[in-house]
Amino acid sequence: MSALRDSLRGRVWLVTLAALVTLFLVNLALQPNLLTPNVLKSNLTVFLPLVLVAIGQTYVILGGDIDLSVGSIVALVNVVTVSVIAMTGGETGGILLGIAAGILTGLACGLFNGVLIAILRFQPIVTTFATGIIFGGLALRVLPTAGLPVPAGYWRTYAGNVLGIPTVLWIFVFALLAIAFIARRPFLTHLMATGGLRTAAFQTGLRVGPIRIGAYMLSGLFSAFAALCLTGETASGDPLMGRLLALSSISAVVLGGTALAGGRGSAFGSLLGALVIGMISNVIFFAAIPFEYQTLTTGLITLLALAGGVLVSRR
Amino acid sequence: MTQTPSAEPSPARALHAQGVTKRFGAITALSSGRISVGKGEIHALLGANGCGKSTLCKIIAGTVSRDGGTLEIDGRPADLKSPREAEALGVALFYQELSLVPQLSVADNIFLGHEPRNAAGFVDRRRLIADTEVLIARFSAVAGSGFAAGTNVSRLSPDQRQIVEILKVLARNPSIIIFDEATAALDKRQVDLFFSILRTLKAEGVAIIFISHRMDEVFEIADRITVMRNGETVAEYGAGEVDRDTVVHDMVGKLADHQREARPPRPAGETPRLVVSSVSGGRLRDVSFSVAPGEILGLGGLQGQGQSAILQGLFGAEPFARGEVSVDGRPVRLRRPADAIRAGLAYVSGDRGRDAALHGRSIFENIAAATLVSERRRFVWPSALKPRFEKAAAGLNTKYAGMEAPIGSLSGGNQQKIFIARWLATDASILLLDDPTKGIDLGAKGDFFELARDLAAKGTSIVFYASEDAELLGLCDRILVFNSGAVTAELSGDTRDAFHLTRAAYGETA
């Protein structure tokens, strides 16, 4: 048993994977057509934004910080993208310009957070809570009410196929490749050292400030990707989009075995964690649990999944 | 050796620092630091606690910036603003407080910031592991079990971590290395191997500054010795042309002996209040002593040799692994602070912010904290307790606006008095003082010692650790000197002076 614990300690995501398989089988029992391509694709479409935000959140948490502003970044990127597309007309060039503007917005939000926290040494939780309100306020300034549809070219591409494979699957595969890419850069080791023991990282000569800023910018970047997906799903602008993403993404990160204290964990685990959270709401929905019990049950299952990881990894 | 201040560039000189000064707030850490190390030379830097040797090393390594003086590396003036810049010039510092990240593997730690990369900029894991294994092989005979490139540092023992730290320094191929207490956690075999590596580095022309708390090691390995005292370099000589007592005399200086204050001899045949027998665990190795009622026992030696560990162990904060403790003849088990409080022990830490203060709460609440535990109170009637606390605080000559004022409104010295009052209110019979005057101004220090003497006169037993030798010599009846977690000497009567204290701190038995 202790040998099992030893081998699992560094790989809490295996527990998350087990939870995911279990939930998938339960879902399959409740919803026999789960394995048809269309259902799988619609599930992935629903899960994708949280998966992307959780990946970005992982890097911030690995660095020993936290980002509560991701939901508002999603909203701000969404309204900036739809507004830029509307301004430039609905042609392909305009759409690409809108996407670029959205991505730059996400990076700028991350840079803003990172400078406040890593250079000016503000406290991360409070700072990103406040910048979240600021980004949300900016989103309302850009687009006061929901609306402003995006051109059909945008959402048709997102809902359709590219080279015979669903766009959402492409995005999912690109997310996996991005994780693998970052995992092999020295940056990730430096980030984990920064989150693990900041004084040691500094004494070793690492540039702790830029490293933490880099993590916040990754979080902003992945939030922007999530916003572009949500824009494809809803096909319009909504300044109040993504409200629950901050805490859901943190849950996904923790479910995936990343320590909130920093220094330990993986973005792949967070991806699995985000899928678990998505599957939980699927199972609740198809289990025909009365509406008034759904939230309660979601909470209990999330707690159970978290407890599994904690019990396995505890000394 | 003659020194010219303007130090013409000499090809054989790797490092030359002269007239280096550094102030931290009101405290002058360095008033005139000087060290000069040649290529292929092992240079020992010695001095008592707080003499400035660590500060000088940190300045050379770029972690602390200097206020004045000159620093030359390889004959060129160097103005270092960060560890990174020092590293670029070939300087590597072995950190006394370890610089390892526990969550990362041995390989990741050793090459942190210097990971081997392939053409595309990815980490070359295969080369990383291979390079690490080559380094580990140097220590493989003495590294112990479970020491591999992929092992997480959090799973290593203290001596293995120290070896990783050494390897991390070696992996950077530096031309100047500062080993600050690099042998502290190593056993004899590991030290021997480490020294053979140092000799290899020396043959390669590396300049090495070696700081150790063991005089034997210094005379075994060093070519030259620089001695510092009170922030100033006071002597430099070849290791072969000097004897140990001269070195100790230079560390202590002439003035030190006048600081001693005569203490009345203890009556013979007293029954001890506190008896500690053969406690071990953590850094401690088989420590035994006893304290009589009304006695002030000092714990001396260089910093971090186990003095705080004894006090925290007695208070149950870091319980001992082995050994026995008895109070007034009754054995006590000290597994957590509440056990210690009920056995009549009290602990005052120099780190008030971390260990003592209830921030933002009133003076009343801060005093009450210990009483509530010792008397197992479930309900609190402030009006009944207040007169008691006011009496306890008044005895200390403490200035405060009122019991309801927040603790933060007081100066460091007055806060420390409030934390003493916290324990006086519990009628503690044994007071453990863990470097209590850290960051307190001189006037408040005087008051504090006056108070400690009064308490001892009334029969309280005091165990006192101070990082400043003068405080120990001024206050204590007896001093136990610690080195590497064990007691190397007990000083009382004639031997209670700065010379014997410093000599014992460096591991020389009295």
Side-chain angles (χ1 to χ4, degrees):
Chain A
M1 185 62 202
S2 70
L4 177 68
R5 283 193 181 188
D6 267 10
S7 61
L8 279 177
R9 190 168 296 142
R11 306 180 188 82
V12 183
W13 58 267
L14 279 174
V15 182
T16 317
L17 187 63
L20 185 60
V21 171
T22 312
L23 283 164
F24 191 84
L25 293 176
V26 173
N27 193 351
L28 188 61
L30 295 168
Q31 185 195 8
N33 67 347
L34 177 66
L35 288 177
T36 58
N38 264 342
V39 177
L40 283 177
K41 183 178 146 188
S42 78
N43 271 333
L44 191 55
T45 309
V46 173
F47 299 164
L48 203 48
L50 181 60
V51 167
L52 293 169
V53 174
I55 291 171
Q57 183 76 261
T58 313
Y59 297 116
V60 175
I61 290 180
L62 280 178
D65 295 312
I66 202 156
D67 191 350
L68 296 182
S69 69
V70 285
S72 303
I73 297 179
V74 166
L76 184 57
V77 170
N78 164 264
V79 296
V80 165
T81 302
V82 298
S83 304
V84 169
I85 293 176
M87 272 189 282
T88 55
E91 303 308 311
T92 311
I95 291 176
L96 290 179
L97 204 62
I99 290 176
I103 288 174
L104 284 179
T105 304
L107 286 172
C109 292
L111 179 65
F112 185 61
N113 280 333
V115 167
L116 289 181
I117 289 161
I119 305 294
L120 301 181
R121 314 240 170 132
F122 288 10
Q123 205 280 336
I125 293 184
V126 183
T127 307
T128 54
F129 179 72
T131 58
I133 298 172
I134 294 172
F135 300 150
L138 285 174
L140 280 167
R141 174 67 190 77
V142 174
L143 189 70
T145 51
L148 208 56
V150 293
Y154 189 111
W155 58 264
R156 282 221 181 101
T157 311
Y158 182 72
N161 294 337
V162 173
L163 304 175
I165 293 172
T167 310
V168 285
L169 188 56
W170 276 116
I171 295 172
F172 188 73
V173 170
F174 276 121
L176 281 172
L177 289 175
I179 291 175
F181 177 85
I182 293 168
R184 278 158 186 76
R185 306 299 299 184
F187 170 77
L188 190 70
T189 314
H190 298 176
L191 181 65
M192 287 167 80
T194 303
L197 199 61
R198 199 160 290 154
T199 50
F202 172 74
Q203 286 180 345
T204 306
L206 297 183
R207 294 151 67 85
V208 174
I211 290 169
R212 293 168 77 191
I213 294 176
Y216 274 105
M217 289 181 73
L218 276 176
S219 177
L221 180 66
F222 277 93
S223 299
F225 291 154
L228 297 175
C229 291
L230 277 171
T231 310
E233 199 186 330
T234 60
S236 71
D238 178 2
L240 302 178
M241 178 181 273
R243 298 227 115 170
L244 293 173
L245 275 172
L247 288 180
S248 302
S249 68
I250 292 165
S251 306
V253 169
V254 174
L255 269 177
T258 297
L260 272 182
R264 222 187 283 264
S266 70
F268 182 68
S270 306
L271 177 142
L272 294 176
L275 292 179
V276 165
I277 289 180
M279 291 304 289
I280 289 174
S281 44
N282 260 12
V283 167
I284 301 284
F285 181 78
F286 287 105
I289 292 172
F291 168 76
E292 60 269 34
Y293 288 105
Q294 285 189 4
T295 309
L296 185 61
T297 321
T298 311
L300 287 174
I301 299 179
T302 311
L303 189 63
L304 203 68
L306 278 171
V310 171
L311 288 179
V312 167
S313 60
R314 187 180 292 167
R315 279 171 194 269
Chain B
M1 178 167 176
T2 52
Q3 288 284 343
T4 47
S6 61
E8 71 286 358
S10 137
R13 191 147 61 179
L15 172 79
H16 182 70
Q18 175 109 24
V20 178
T21 59
K22 178 68 193 177
R23 294 171 65 83
F24 294 106
I27 296 156
T28 303
L30 267 183
S31 54
S32 174
R34 167 171 58 83
I35 191 166
S36 192
V37 188
K39 288 181 180 159
E41 176 182 306
I42 300 178
H43 196 114
L45 182 57
L46 299 180
N49 286 329
C51 69
K53 57 185 191 289
S54 284
T55 307
L56 181 59
C57 289
K58 284 179 178 164
I59 286 171
I60 295 167
T63 39
V64 168
S65 62
R66 68 178 190 272
D67 295 336
T70 56
L71 175 63
E72 284 170 18
I73 291 172
D74 274 333
R76 274 188 293 276
D79 193 16
L80 306 171
K81 292 197 183 59
S82 71
R84 220 180 158 73
E85 293 181 12
E87 208 183 285
L89 293 173
V91 181
L93 171 59
F94 172 95
Y95 282 93
Q96 197 178 331
E97 322 90 64
L98 296 173
S99 77
L100 304 179
V101 182
Q103 291 92 337
L104 297 183
S105 70
V106 169
D108 281 337
N109 265 294
I110 289 177
F111 287 97
L112 188 60
H114 299 260
E115 295 82 0
R117 304 179 185 200
N118 61 21
F122 292 110
V123 178
D124 187 343
R125 301 263 359 147
R126 198 173 301 162
R127 194 143 70 82
L128 178 68
I129 299 295
D131 288 356
T132 306
E133 276 165 358
V134 169
L135 282 167
I136 289 178
R138 292 180 119 168
F139 272 98
S140 60
V142 293
S145 63
F147 190 86
T151 316
N152 259 25
V153 164
S154 61
R155 318 200 56 184
L156 299 180
S157 59
D159 59 317
Q160 290 173 327
R161 288 183 193 209
Q162 196 140 31
I163 292 173
V164 176
E165 195 86 33
I166 292 170
L167 295 178
K168 184 174 165 183
V169 169
L170 298 183
R172 280 153 177 59
N173 291 319
S175 52
I176 299 168
I177 310 180
I178 303 163
F179 282 111
D180 188 356
E181 294 284 7
T183 56
L186 302 185
D187 66 28
K188 185 77 184 90
R189 284 184 319 142
Q190 291 166 331
V191 170
D192 287 344
L193 191 74
F194 174 61
F195 281 179
S196 73
I197 291 173
L198 286 192
R199 291 191 184 100
T200 315
L201 291 170
K202 179 181 154 172
E204 289 165 6
V206 176
I208 295 166
I209 296 176
F210 180 73
I211 296 178
S212 165
H213 61 270
R214 296 175 187 148
M215 195 69 89
D216 286 339
E217 291 183 353
V218 169
F219 277 89
E220 182 183 341
I221 193 80
D223 301 312
R224 297 188 67 75
I225 297 173
T226 287
V227 177
M228 294 186 68
R229 186 202 321 146
N230 296 334
E232 200 178 343
T233 297
V234 292
E236 186 191 345
Y237 18 62
E241 62 200 43
V242 68
D243 63 47
R244 294 177 185 211
D245 281 359
T246 311
V247 174
V248 174
H249 270 297
D250 282 330
M251 282 194 261
V252 171
K254 290 193 185 66
L255 282 172
D257 280 351
H258 298 295
Q259 293 166 354
R260 191 152 71 112
E261 182 181 320
R263 296 276 305 166
R266 305 292 316 164
E270 282 177 313
T271 2
R273 157 109 12 94
L274 172 72
V275 177
V276 175
S277 22
S278 317
V279 295
S280 302
R283 308 203 45 151
L284 297 171
R285 291 188 283 122
D286 199 27
V287 175
S288 303
F289 61 87
S290 64
V291 192
E295 188 183 24
I296 304 179
L297 176 71
L299 307 180
L302 296 172
Q303 284 176 39
Q305 304 298 319
Q307 301 97 329
S308 288
I310 277 282
L311 298 178
Q312 286 168 5
L314 283 173
F315 196 57
E318 293 286 338
F320 301 124
R322 283 173 299 283
E324 279 156 29
V325 178
S326 64
V327 175
D328 290 326
R330 282 190 313 277
V332 287
R333 296 192 65 182
L334 305 166
R335 285 162 305 182
R336 52 204 173 95
D339 296 341
I341 292 170
R342 285 177 195 135
L345 289 131
Y347 175 77
V348 177
S349 165
D351 206 335
R352 294 177 295 280
R354 189 193 67 194
D355 294 336
L358 306 175
H359 296 281
R361 311 306 303 177
S362 67
I363 293 173
F364 175 83
E365 287 170 291
N366 269 285
I367 296 182
T371 306
L372 303 185
V373 176
S374 70
E375 299 176 10
R376 296 176 184 270
R377 281 177 186 265
R378 293 286 179 269
F379 297 98
V380 182
W381 309 106
S383 54
L385 287 170
K386 207 166 174 177
R388 260 175 69 191
F389 292 170
E390 275 168 352
K391 204 173 131 222
L396 306 184
N397 189 20
T398 315
K399 296 176 199 70
Y400 58 91
M403 278 280 165
E404 306 311 321
I407 189 76
S409 66
L410 298 180
S411 70
N414 280 325
Q415 279 188 28
Q416 200 63 301
K417 287 185 197 165
I418 292 295
F419 299 132
I420 300 256
R422 169 190 286 181
W423 297 110
L424 295 186
T426 69
D427 292 323
S429 62
I430 303 166
L431 193 54
L432 310 171
L433 302 178
D434 189 354
D435 211 359
T437 57
K438 214 188 278 176
I440 293 183
D441 65 70
L442 276 175
K445 265 187 196 179
D447 286 359
F448 188 84
F449 292 137
E450 198 60 40
L451 169 66
R453 282 193 200 96
D454 285 354
L455 289 173
K458 287 176 193 149
T460 306
S461 300
I462 298 179
V463 185
F464 174 53
Y465 163 59
S467 55
E468 283 185 39
D469 293 348
E471 295 184 1
L472 284 174
L473 294 168
L475 193 64
C476 299
D477 296 303
R478 267 190 306 145
I479 301 171
L480 300 178
V481 186
F482 282 71
N483 186 292
S484 306
V487 176
T488 49
E490 179 179 327
L491 309 178
S492 61
D494 288 345
T495 58
R496 195 173 61 88
D497 60 26
F499 176 78
H500 286 88
L501 181 54
T502 303
R503 203 168 74 141
Y506 272 88
E508 306 281 286
T509 42

